[in-house]
Amino acid sequence: MDPVTARFIETATALPPATLATVFDEMVKRRSTGGREASREAKVSASENSSINRAVRSALLPRADELTESRNGLHSDAISACGIAARAVRKRGKLTEEQYVVLVEPFMRTDAAVPAWTPEGN
């Protein structure tokens, strides 16, 4: 996994439960305004997807009780939100700026290490 994506996962999965809940809720709202399509464009290879999923799940597993106590279902919600955004971070050069922003902007309002969008080749 590239270091930028790894750093994003490390910082995103460490966010407080309330912040992760807010991020997830915002991402759900964005699904109907370009999020679903952008997520499809952020598709990574099977091996990259496996690596991202493993990193996100490994980071959030020790926090499962804490997240679930904060809000029922938050553990799985956080896995989903962090995974989608991590794939966008990994593919940011292949996404349009609008696609990238719709997928990561909820994390931009947090302490997560969200890299700036750059077009492919830059």
Side-chain angles (χ1 to χ4, degrees):
M1 177 181 319
D2 70 288
V4 174
T5 304
R7 177 74 179 135
F8 170 78
I9 291 170
E10 176 187 335
T11 58
T13 58
L15 293 171
T19 303
L20 286 168
T22 299
V23 164
F24 177 78
D25 292 345
E26 181 61 29
M27 290 182 83
V28 168
K29 289 177 192 171
R30 291 164 175 259
R31 287 206 43 88
S32 63
T33 58
R36 184 175 292 115
E37 295 79 11
S39 186
R40 280 190 211 117
E41 292 300 317
K43 187 175 180 179
V44 296
S45 71
S47 64
E48 287 177 315
N49 193 54
S50 177
S51 180
I52 287 169
N53 284 341
R54 187 173 37 256
V56 169
R57 288 176 181 278
S58 293
L60 290 172
L61 183 59
R63 301 185 63 202
D65 290 341
E66 170 196 10
L67 295 171
T68 301
E69 286 174 12
S70 176
R71 182 169 96 180
N72 191 33
L74 183 56
H75 180 239
S76 62
D77 293 348
I79 289 170
S80 177
C82 291
I84 289 167
R87 286 186 288 279
V89 166
R90 175 64 186 101
K91 297 297 279 191
R92 68 190 175 282
K94 303 250 185 223
L95 299 173
T96 67
E97 185 173 13
E98 293 78 19
Q99 290 169 331
Y100 182 67
V101 168
V102 78
L103 294 174
V104 300
E105 189 173 43
F107 282 99
M108 289 177 173
R109 300 182 189 131
T110 72
D111 292 333
V114 180
W117 174 82
T118 53
E120 186 174 34
N122 290 342

